[in-house]
């Protein structure tokens, strides 16, 4: 099964030299609407001058960001698909049905992967939401930020600051845990412990043999509940973790002889599962796994299906950060 997920971020604007964020629907004294700026970028700028981003002018590897023309703008929401990829290497494309090579990729070729996006930009609030689709471990958040930020700064001569940050609804996370919605806890170690193999230490002397990840998975019972004592202790530990800047993720659950690096919690929210990545108290990730979504003939999610799933996800997020579902 292909791995797809939805990752949410906040969008905020402020005038340089100040600490106050501006309303999305009025970022200047003339009443300029940020929604119109985003729409201009998607409709006029990006289709006519796709962003080509590299670490330096001499870098052979360049990342490309384009956008499909069928952008949907409904009220204060905009959805569509970016296409992104990078050049720099060659490869052979082999057709498994005909048993022949169908194409020889050269270093100047770019494989453009489609990535769905949904933006919600309410006029009377100082933050909007953007949801990006991820494919396997790849996404377009950084590419979009660099591309749009360049467009935005040029348009306003660096008068404003554009910010994008991972959206982590702490109250929603607390509710998931407090209301016993946890379905699975995954403790992840970024290597294989040597003592898990019943072989002499000198039989595998090279540490590189241990590259990879090792997971300890704690599943809830068939009734959907973790043990009371474990659940209550985990809830209290995560409360401290969310409120602290110096609590280690490795202290949340103590497991003998298993020093893990990260915890991922899968919780039930509505009719879907959400994943909470607690790898860092300052960089908690919250996303929705949609790996089982219906795919099109190209192997990527059908637009109408992923659009529906993303809007349902947006409804949960809206209540958390705005206090109401503004899209209902």
């Amino acid at each position: 099964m292909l791995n797809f997920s939805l990752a949410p971020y906040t969008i905020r604007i402020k005038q340089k030299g100040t600490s106050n964020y501006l309303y999305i629907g009025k970022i200047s004294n003339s009443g300029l609407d940020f929604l119109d700026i985003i729409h201009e970028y998607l409709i006029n700028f990006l289709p006519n001058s796709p962003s080509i981003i590299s670490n330096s002018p001499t870098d052979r590897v360049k990342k490309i960001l384009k956008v499909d023309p069928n952008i949907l703008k409904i009220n204060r929401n905009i959805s569509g698909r970016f296409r992104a990829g990078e050049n720099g290497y060659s490869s052979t494309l082999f057709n498994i049905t005909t048993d022949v090579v169908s194409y020889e990729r050269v270093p100047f070729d770019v494989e453009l992967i489609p990535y769905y996006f949904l933006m919600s930009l309410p006029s009377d609030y100082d933050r909007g939401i953007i949801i990006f689709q991820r494919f396997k471990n790849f996404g377009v958040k950084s590419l979009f930020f660099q591309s749009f930020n360049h467009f935005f700064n040029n348009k306003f001569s660096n008068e404003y600051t554009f910010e994008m940050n991972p959206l982590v609804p702490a109250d929603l996370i607390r509710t998931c845990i407090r209301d016993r919605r946890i379905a699975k806890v995954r403790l992840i170690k970024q290597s294989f412990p040597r003592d898990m193999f019943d072989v002499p230490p000198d039989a595998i002397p090279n540490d590189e043999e241990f590259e990879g990840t090792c997971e300890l998975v704690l599943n809830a019972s068939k009734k959907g509940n973790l043990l009371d004592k474990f659940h209550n202790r985990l809830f209290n530990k995560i409360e401290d973790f969310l409120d602290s800047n110096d609590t280690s993720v490795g202290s949340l659950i103590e497991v003998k002889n298993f020093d893990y690096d990260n915890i991922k919690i899968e919780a039930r929210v509505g009719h879907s599962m959400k994943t909470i990545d607690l790898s860092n108290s300052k960089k908690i990730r919250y996303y929705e796994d949609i790996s089982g979504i219906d795919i099109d003939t190209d192997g990527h999610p059908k637009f109408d299906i992923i659009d529906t799933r993303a809007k349902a996800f947006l409804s949960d997020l809206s209540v958390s950060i705005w206090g109401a579902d503004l899209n209902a």
Side-chain angles (χ1 to χ4, degrees), residues 276-293:
I276 304 163
D277 186 337
L278 299 175
S279 57
N280 186 316
S281 61
K282 296 179 181 179
K283 295 182 180 179
I284 299 174
R285 296 291 185 265
Y286 178 80
Y287 58 90
E288 179 170 356
D289 187 346
I290 56 170
S291 297
I293 196 170

Side-chain angles (χ1 to χ4, degrees), residues 172-187:
L172 190 55
I173 292 174
R174 289 185 172 96
T175 299
C176 288
I177 300 169
R178 183 184 62 243
D179 294 351
R180 307 182 67 85
R181 301 182 191 176
I182 298 175
K184 184 182 296 184
V185 179
R186 295 164 53 204
L187 309 181

Side-chain angles (χ1 to χ4, degrees), residues 130-268:
I130 181 167
I131 297 173
F132 290 112
Q133 175 216 320
R134 291 182 58 81
F135 173 53
K136 298 182 180 179
N137 292 322
F138 305 105
V140 293
K141 180 263 178 183
S142 296
L143 269 178
F144 168 76
F145 178 82
Q146 292 178 67
S147 172
F148 179 76
N149 199 44
H150 175 74
F151 164 81
F152 187 67
N153 286 335
N154 284 343
K155 186 176 181 66
F156 294 103
S157 301
N158 293 308
E159 183 179 354
Y160 302 100
T161 298
F162 171 65
E163 293 184 6
M164 278 182 59
N165 296 297
L167 198 169
V168 183
D171 290 340
L172 190 55
I173 292 174
R174 289 185 172 96
T175 299
C176 288
I177 300 169
R178 183 184 62 243
D179 294 351
R180 307 182 67 85
R181 301 182 191 176
I182 298 175
K184 184 182 296 184
V185 179
R186 295 164 53 204
L187 309 181
I188 304 168
K189 184 176 179 63
Q190 298 301 325
S191 63
F192 298 135
R194 279 181 172 270
D195 56 6
M196 75 180 295
F197 298 103
D198 188 18
V199 294
D202 58 354
I204 311 178
N206 190 345
D207 286 343
E208 291 183 359
E209 296 292 336
F210 295 86
E211 290 181 351
T213 61
C214 182
E215 294 189 13
L216 176 62
V217 179
L218 312 175
N219 282 303
S221 67
K222 292 182 179 179
K223 296 180 181 180
N225 297 322
L226 295 169
L227 292 173
D228 287 342
K229 290 183 178 179
F230 175 80
H231 175 274
N232 295 337
R233 182 174 178 81
L234 179 62
F235 176 71
N236 292 332
K237 288 279 189 177
I238 290 179
E239 279 279 326
D240 294 338
F241 184 75
L242 294 173
D243 293 334
S244 173
N245 291 325
D246 56 5
T247 301
S248 168
V249 69
S251 67
L252 295 181
I253 302 174
E254 295 179 5
V255 181
K256 291 183 179 179
N257 301 322
F258 191 77
D259 298 324
Y260 58 90
D261 305 301
N262 189 16
I263 292 182
K264 289 186 179 181
I265 295 174
E266 297 180 19
R268 294 177 294 274

Side-chain angles (χ1 to χ4, degrees), residues 96-132:
I96 62 172
T97 61
T98 62
D99 200 30
V100 297
V101 172
S102 56
Y103 183 73
E104 292 282 357
R105 171 179 166 149
V106 299
F108 291 104
D109 287 333
V110 177
E111 180 186 13
L112 292 175
I113 303 295
Y115 296 92
Y116 169 90
F117 68 87
L118 170 65
M119 304 182 191
S120 183
L121 303 168
S123 59
D124 296 331
Y125 293 83
D126 66 358
R127 76 181 75 182
I129 295 175
I130 181 167
I131 297 173
F132 290 112

Side-chain angles (χ1 to χ4, degrees), residues 52-62:
I52 301 176
I53 298 169
S54 60
N55 294 326
S56 71
T58 59
D59 193 351
R60 289 181 63 243
V61 178
K62 294 178 172 58

